[in-house]
Amino acid sequence: MSDALADVTADLRSDTLTRPTQAMREAMASAPVGDDVYGEDPTVLALQRQVADLLGHEDALFTPTGSMANQLGVRLHVAPGQELVTDDLAHVLRAEMGAAAVLSGISARSYPTTGGLLDVDAAMALAVTEGGAYQVGTACVVVENTHNFGGGTIQPLEAMQDLQERAHARGMAVHLDGARLWNAHVATGTPLADYGACADTVSVCLSKGLGAPVGSLLVGSSDRMQQARVWRKRFGGGMRQVGILAAAGRYALEHQLDRLAEDHARCQQVAQAVAAVNPEAVDPQAVHSNILVLRVAPAGWSAADFIEAAGERGVLGYVTGPEHVRFVWHLDVDDAQTDHASAVLTELLASRA
Ligand SMILES: Cc1ncc(COP(=O)(O)O)c(C=O)c1O
């Protein structure tokens, strides 16, 4: 740990910060491996089978990152010159460095969202499926569940089913960015396969709240996963003896999935404490999982100043917009750290409310 971080009490910048536990490291060290470009890594094959089955799809493909899994998903559905439609806070639009445009010639349009909530009517109104030789055709709608920049928002299953039905009726595919679908599953009890049934392809990440150091998967039909395998290699993501990484994911699914509920409870605890001193900063009912987005402007803060002040008091967060900051709970944050974060955030927001 660097000197700058030595005094940190609660590092809530992201749930990607988790470090592999000793038991996870041991599972990695002893994993059987082979060359995965040849399709011969038994641990990768087992993980792919496990995740495809969990999500109710035919097959899955291991990828180094969630961004690559998303980019493979949209690449399969959208030809160069076509577009995808999503919401304006979507990770695939805001945080993947324009990859859909750069790598696949895909353009994108988005509808405004509150808290990242899926708006099927808005998506359908934007989509153009009979544009002929004049308008860009929409080939795919992307939905994110849970929604990162929206504040860990869980999409209602009914809305996702509605999206799938209406998108398919117009010849469009649905890609689900399920980097944190595990959180939605644990928070609602909805089976992963019910979410999986709402999309043609789904990306899931092992490297967020589940606590693996690396790894994501794309799931879909066998045909699509064969195509995705070709595109993964083309994108530079063909990996060799990566059973040691897949083993971390298998360990995480077995031992660190249910505990996501603890992250949700701690996040909710702080949301309620903040709302009690400053109801304009957050509505606890809109906090669904492990991500707390606070609106700090009504209390007289800029997001950057707020994050600096919290950081000076040992609570690290992230600026998500001029008025908004984000704090994320994960495996490496316990009750004492949560209590400290609660004290600091309520103090800062009460002081100028
Ligand atoms: C919703 C969502 N999708 C995709 C990703 C991309 O994951 P990665 O950082 O592994 O590329 C993230 C990363 O935080 C995310 O929050």
Side-chain angles (χ1 to χ4, degrees):
M1 187 181 284
S2 73
D3 285 343
L5 291 180
D7 292 325
V8 167
T9 305
D11 194 344
L12 301 169
R13 287 171 299 166
S14 174
D15 51 8
T16 57
L17 294 162
T18 55
R19 286 153 303 183
T21 60
Q22 189 54 36
M24 180 181 277
R25 287 167 191 258
E26 282 162 18
M28 295 169 75
S30 60
V33 296
D35 189 327
D36 184 48
V37 171
Y38 286 74
E40 290 176 3
D41 188 303
T43 311
V44 171
L45 291 173
L47 175 69
Q48 290 177 168
R49 188 67 267 140
Q50 179 180 8
V51 172
D53 288 346
L54 282 173
L55 283 250
H57 280 253
E58 280 176 2
D59 208 350
L61 186 73
F62 188 55
T63 62
T65 65
S67 298
M68 188 182 281
N70 278 341
Q71 292 305 322
L72 290 172
V74 298
R75 168 79 234 185
L76 297 182
H77 303 307
V78 189
Q82 293 184 316
E83 70 177 8
L84 63 83
V85 157
T86 188
D87 70 83
D88 62 1
L89 294 177
H91 194 278
V92 74
L93 274 195
R94 285 189 76 191
E96 295 179 15
M97 318 316 287
V102 175
L103 302 177
S104 300
I106 296 171
S107 56
R109 283 181 306 134
S110 59
Y111 60 86
T113 173
T114 309
L117 216 52
L118 171 61
D119 183 340
V120 182
D121 288 341
M124 288 302 127
L126 266 187
V128 175
T129 46
E130 288 169 9
Y134 180 61
Q135 279 186 295
V136 175
T138 314
C140 177
V141 183
V142 178
V143 55
E144 189 174 313
N145 192 10
T146 69
H147 200 296
N148 178 351
F149 295 120
T153 317
I154 296 173
Q155 311 294 355
L157 185 64
E158 303 70 38
M160 294 184 59
Q161 289 165 336
D162 186 35
L163 172 68
Q164 161 102 323
E165 211 170 286
R166 290 166 68 183
H168 281 185
R170 294 178 61 187
M172 295 183 288
V174 175
H175 173 71
L176 166 58
D177 178 350
R180 296 182 183 78
L181 195 62
W182 320 108
N183 296 80
H185 159 65
V186 167
T188 62
T190 303
L192 287 161
D194 287 8
Y195 286 126
C198 298
D200 300 285
T201 47
V202 186
S203 62
V204 288
C205 289
L206 306 164
S207 56
K208 312 278 180 316
L210 282 187
V214 67
S216 292
L217 294 104
L218 181 72
V219 307
S221 67
S222 301
D223 281 356
R224 284 199 174 104
M225 291 309 100
Q226 272 178 19
Q227 293 168 39
R229 180 170 275 278
V230 173
W231 278 100
R232 182 185 67 175
K233 186 74 164 60
R234 203 166 271 144
F235 285 170
M239 302 177 290
R240 304 297 177 172
Q241 287 73 22
V242 279
I244 53 171
L245 302 181
R250 281 178 57 77
Y251 179 90
L253 285 171
E254 192 177 342
H255 300 282
Q256 294 175 178
L257 176 60
D258 294 341
R259 64 149 303 284
L260 293 176
E262 296 169 25
D263 298 340
H264 300 169
R266 291 181 175 123
C267 182
Q268 184 59 220
Q269 172 197 328
V270 178
Q272 290 187 14
V274 169
V277 298
N278 188 337
E280 284 184 292
V282 64
D283 172 5
Q285 288 192 347
V287 177
H288 297 167
S289 56
N290 65 326
I291 301 180
L292 177 65
V293 170
L294 299 177
R295 198 165 148 247
V296 293
W301 290 98
S302 73
D305 286 351
F306 187 89
I307 287 299
E308 195 181 330
E312 282 164 3
R313 292 159 176 79
V315 179
L316 299 191
Y318 181 75
V319 172
T320 55
E323 300 192 354
H324 291 92
V325 296
R326 187 189 73 178
F327 298 92
V328 187
W329 270 260
H330 54 78
L331 183 61
D332 292 349
V333 182
D334 62 17
D335 282 335
Q337 290 164 314
T338 300
D339 290 343
H340 179 71
S342 186
V344 167
L345 298 180
T346 51
E347 182 207 321
L348 292 177
L349 285 162
S351 63
R352 300 209 199 170

